[in-house]
Amino acid sequence: MIKNDEMDRLLRYLANQSSYEEMRNVQLWLEKDPKNRSQFEELKKIWLLTPDNLNWNTDSEWANFKNKIEAQQEISNESAPQSAAEKSINSSYIPEYRPSLLESLSFYFRRYSFALTIVLIALIAGYAGYNYFNSPVGNSSDSIIWNEKITLAGEKAEILLPDNSKVILNSESKLRYPNSFSGNSRDIYLTGEAYFEVRNSNDRKFNVHSAGFSTTVLGTKFNVSAFHDEEIISVSLLEGKVKITPENENSNDTKNARSSTILSPNQQWVYNYNNKRSEINSFNHEKAIGWKDNIIVFENTPLIDVFKKLERIYGVEFRSEGNFKNKNITTKFNGDSIWLVAEVIKKTTGLNYKTITKNNLPGTFIFY
C-alpha cells in the first residue's frame, strides 16, 4: 500500500509539478524495490484514466483523487482471500475474485463518467464566466491544452512545436508543451535531454523550464541536458544567444546560481547540484549534441557513467561484477550495434563480459 507522503510525491511527479529534488527522490524510490515500480505503473494507468486527464491545481482536487485511491486500497485489503487454515475448515471455499486497483477505479470512472462530466461542465462554465467578466481582454491562458511526450530507454522522438520550432527528445526524457502558443512567451517544460532549433519571433520569447532553471531564447540552436537522476545540468549553445535563470532563487538546489547567465555561440553552461556551482566553457559539439545523430563520445569517462549513458541510449542493462571505479574510457561510437559497443569496452578496459538474454535479445551485459 502506498503511504500518504509517497502518494503526494508520486501525484506531483505525474502532474509534472515536482521540484528537481522531488524527482530524484521518486527515481530512487522506484529503483529501491520492484514492488514500488509496479505500484507506480498501476497508479500511472489510473492517472491517465481520470476524466479528460485533468490538471490537479487545487488542494481539494489532490485530496479527492488521493482519497479515492486509498479507499480502493483499503477495500482490496479487507476483501483479501481466506488463509490456508480457513480454507481447510471451509470445504466449500471458493476463491473470491479481487479486482485490481486499476480495474476498480476504471469501473468507478466508467460508471460515474456522465455525472462527473455534467459537474465538470458546470464548474468550467462558471469559471470561464468569472474570468470573462473579471480578466483583461485577450487573456486566454486558461484555455491552453497541454501535450506530453515521453521517451523510453532506447528511443528518441522528433517533435514539431506549434511555432514550427523543432525538438529532438533524447531517451528517457519528457517534454510538456501546449497545442498553441499564446501571449508574450512560448513556454515548454523538459525533464531529461533535448536539442532545440527555435524559430525566431521578435515579440515572443521561447522559455525551456528544466530542473529549476529556465533557458530563454528568441531564435537559436541549443541543447539542454537535465536528467532527474544526474547531478549535472547543462545548456550548450550552437547559434544565437540564450539566457539561463534560476526559477526559484530561494531553492536549496539553485541558491548559489547567478541571477542570470547569458551564453554566446559555442559556450556551454554547467551547473553542479552537489557543490551548487556553475561554470561556462567551450565544448565538444559531438560530445554534447552528437546523440541526436547517434554519435556517442566518451573522454576519460568513468565506467559507471558510461554504463548509465549506454543503458539510456540502447535500452539494455549494463552491470559490473567487481570494483572498477578506476576504469575510465575514451572512445567514440557512431550508430554502432550494441554488440560492437560491448566489444570495444572489452578491448578498451581489458574486461570480459557475459549476457543475459530476454526474448532472444540481449537484456543485460555483465562485465567482470
Side-chain angles (χ1 to χ4, degrees):
M1 181 174 180
I2 302 177
K3 298 179 181 177
N4 282 342
D5 58 337
E6 292 170 349
M7 180 74 72
D8 291 336
R9 197 162 57 235
L10 294 175
L11 290 177
R12 284 195 298 273
Y13 181 84
L14 287 169
N16 202 31
Q17 295 177 2
S18 299
S19 66
Y20 178 79
E21 184 176 355
E22 285 177 324
M23 287 190 290
R24 284 192 293 179
N25 288 337
V26 169
Q27 187 65 24
L28 291 173
W29 182 81
L30 291 173
E31 295 173 354
K32 184 178 179 180
D33 190 335
K35 293 181 180 178
N36 293 345
R37 182 168 291 279
S38 177
Q39 289 177 327
F40 173 76
E41 291 300 328
E42 190 166 3
L43 179 63
K44 182 178 178 182
K45 292 175 183 177
I46 297 168
W47 173 266
L48 295 174
L49 284 173
T50 55
D52 299 326
N53 198 16
L54 295 174
N55 289 322
W56 305 93
N57 295 321
T58 68
D59 292 338
S60 61
E61 287 170 336
W62 282 108
N64 187 33
F65 183 75
K66 187 175 69 173
N67 288 340
K68 291 172 186 174
I69 295 174
E70 291 172 349
Q72 282 299 317
Q73 289 177 326
E74 291 176 2
I75 291 172
S76 297
N77 290 336
E78 292 172 0
S79 61
Q82 293 172 301
S83 65
E86 291 171 329
K87 292 178 186 178
S88 61
I89 294 173
N90 184 4
S91 59
S92 61
Y93 170 76
I94 299 176
E96 179 183 359
Y97 172 70
R98 294 173 58 206
S100 69
L101 179 58
L102 174 60
E103 292 171 324
S104 300
L105 284 181
S106 297
F107 171 78
Y108 173 88
F109 285 126
R110 287 196 301 269
R111 181 175 181 180
Y112 297 107
S113 60
F114 179 76
L116 285 170
T117 301
I118 297 299
V119 172
L120 289 172
I121 289 173
L123 289 173
I124 292 170
Y127 185 65
Y130 174 83
N131 278 330
Y132 179 82
F133 291 105
N134 293 277
S135 301
V137 176
N139 181 7
S140 59
S141 61
D142 295 319
S143 63
I144 294 176
I145 299 174
W146 290 87
N147 301 302
E148 191 172 88
K149 178 64 179 178
I150 300 175
T151 53
L152 303 177
E155 68 178 21
K156 296 194 290 283
E158 185 170 319
I159 303 158
L160 190 65
L161 298 179
D163 64 345
N164 288 324
S165 294
K166 185 174 76 172
V167 182
I168 302 178
L169 193 64
N170 203 356
S171 306
E172 292 189 329
S173 300
K174 177 169 67 175
L175 185 72
R176 188 167 178 258
Y177 61 97
N179 264 3
S180 62
F181 291 119
S182 60
N184 297 324
S185 64
R186 298 169 285 171
D187 293 273
I188 63 174
Y189 298 83
L190 170 69
T191 300
E193 185 171 23
Y195 169 79
F196 298 87
E197 293 185 359
V198 179
R199 283 294 183 95
N200 185 37
S201 179
N202 293 327
D203 57 342
R204 289 192 300 173
K205 294 181 179 179
F206 187 96
N207 301 309
V208 180
H209 303 273
S210 54
F213 291 88
S214 63
T215 303
T216 302
V217 302
L218 288 175
T220 188
K221 296 180 180 181
F222 66 102
N223 189 85
V224 176
S225 180
F227 288 102
H228 54 70
D229 59 346
E230 294 184 358
E231 292 78 20
I232 298 293
I233 175 176
S234 66
V235 178
S236 309
L237 179 63
L238 274 73
E239 297 178 7
K241 184 178 291 186
V242 300
K243 181 171 73 172
I244 305 155
T245 308
E247 295 187 327
N248 182 1
E249 295 185 5
N250 296 320
S251 168
N252 288 330
D253 283 333
T254 61
K255 62 182 180 181
N256 288 338
R258 297 177 183 177
S259 57
S260 65
T261 301
I262 296 178
L263 292 185
S264 297
N266 301 315
Q267 286 186 328
Q268 182 184 65
W269 173 86
V270 177
Y271 182 80
N272 189 310
Y273 281 98
N274 283 337
N275 59 29
K276 306 293 188 291
R277 297 189 180 280
S278 63
E279 59 182 26
I280 298 175
N281 297 300
S282 58
F283 67 98
N284 181 324
H285 287 202
E286 282 192 335
K287 184 178 180 182
I289 307 175
W291 61 266
K292 69 183 183 66
D293 300 313
N294 298 316
I295 297 174
I296 316 168
V297 177
F298 297 113
E299 293 179 344
N300 200 31
T301 307
L303 192 60
I304 187 172
D305 294 332
V306 171
F307 284 172
K308 181 185 292 187
K309 190 163 188 175
L310 292 177
E311 285 181 346
R312 182 176 295 134
I313 293 171
Y314 286 95
V316 299
E317 183 182 7
F318 282 82
R319 297 207 311 253
S320 62
E321 294 181 347
N323 186 357
F324 304 121
K325 291 183 178 179
N326 296 326
K327 293 284 187 182
N328 289 7
I329 291 180
T330 298
T331 190
K332 172 181 173 182
F333 300 109
N334 191 350
D336 298 311
S337 71
I338 189 64
W339 295 108
L340 181 57
V341 169
E343 285 295 322
V344 170
I345 295 175
K346 174 182 176 180
K347 293 179 181 178
T348 304
T349 62
L351 301 174
N352 289 313
Y353 70 89
K354 57 186 177 182
T355 61
I356 299 176
T357 59
K358 183 178 181 180
N359 298 327
N360 295 322
L361 294 173
T364 304
F365 285 81
I366 303 173
F367 285 81
Y368 58 94

